[in-house]
Amino acid sequence: DSGVTQTPKHLITATGQRVTLRCSPRSGDLSVYWYQQSLDQGLQFLIQYYNGEERAKGNILERFSAQQFPDLHSELNLSSLELGDSALYFCASSVGTVISGNTIYFGEGSWLTVV
Amino acid sequence: SQQGEEDPQALSIQEGENATMNCSYKTSINNLQWYRQNSGRGLVHLILIRSNEREKHSGRLRVTLDTSKKSSSLLITASRAADTASYFCATVQISSGSARQLTFGSGTQLTVLP
């Protein structure tokens, strides 16, 4: 158990809908990362927050947004869903940043299926 | 885009044998990390090697880094069936913005046969 909690574990939704994925980082970790894993794209970095502020953006679509709350939990909002958004979405956390050599710890992921 | 590429894409060995996976990357890095993923599960950090290090060990794992060739290898000795998983290398580039994040390769699927 990494200590990173993600909910829901699985969800199935229709195209055009909106979903929210939730992440609770490890106790004491200030950085939260979101990754998307799909068969065709592999593991793609989406976005990072550090202590409530956006720190870096990766390949995140404009239809997606995220935030980190004062209690450090984070949410990833996916809207106007398309079939191609079906993937495993991971949240990860670390004390500091990866450039400093900090290990990041991954949650078990949220499986999203868009039908 | 993916910074690291693992080789081979799939590897099947007998229990007790050693498994070697290679990773090549394109740009200068701050550090390189190896992760393991059991099917459909979260990624588990295995080992981190910094750009000024050449070799690190952790239990049955040995990682080497050759920055001149922009490559790394992960050796698992005396493999067990429980080592069956996908293994990913991930790099942190010496750059700015989103590049200073973990960028994962495409992974090697290791199967250890009992």
Side-chain angles (χ1 to χ4, degrees), chain A residues 28-66:
Chain A
D29 284 0
L30 298 178
S31 281
V32 168
Y33 311 80
W34 287 97
Y35 281 83
Q36 178 195 59
Q37 186 177 36
S38 61
L39 282 175
D40 55 343
Q41 296 288 325
L43 265 162
Q44 298 286 323
F45 167 70
L46 296 179
I47 198 164
Q48 180 209 357
Y49 281 84
Y50 180 82
N51 203 19
E53 293 189 2
E54 182 184 303
R55 179 61 65 94
K57 258 186 177 179
N59 300 321
I60 188 166
L61 300 172
E62 284 192 11
R63 300 183 286 108
F64 297 179
S65 65

Side-chain angles (χ1 to χ4, degrees), chain A residues 33 35 37 41-45 48 56-59 88 90 98-104 106-108 111, chain B residues 1-2 30-31 33 35 37 40-43 45 48 50 88 92-94 97-98 100-105:
Chain A
Y33 311 80
Y35 281 83
Q37 186 177 36
Q41 296 288 325
L43 265 162
Q44 298 286 323
F45 167 70
Q48 180 209 357
K57 258 186 177 179
N59 300 321
L88 184 53
F90 285 111
V98 292
I99 195 72
S100 303
N102 288 281
T103 298
I104 70 172
F106 282 78
E108 290 295 307
W111 281 97
Chain B
S1 62
Q2 290 170 326
N30 174 278
N31 65 73
Q33 305 180 31
Y35 284 79
Q37 182 182 31
R41 304 293 301 275
L43 286 88
H45 179 262
L48 178 153
R50 298 183 189 277
F88 294 87
V92 180
Q93 297 173 49
I94 300 175
S98 63
R100 289 162 64 103
Q101 301 299 324
L102 271 180
T103 304
F104 285 84

Side-chain angles (χ1 to χ4, degrees), chain B residues 1 10-11 21 23 28 31-32 45 53 57 60 63-64 79 82 87 89-90 106-107:
Chain B
S1 62
L11 179 62
M21 288 159 271
C23 169
S28 296
N31 65 73
L32 184 146
H45 179 262
E53 298 176 310
H57 297 255
R60 293 184 296 114
V63 168
T64 61
S79 63
Y87 292 82
C89 71
S106 51

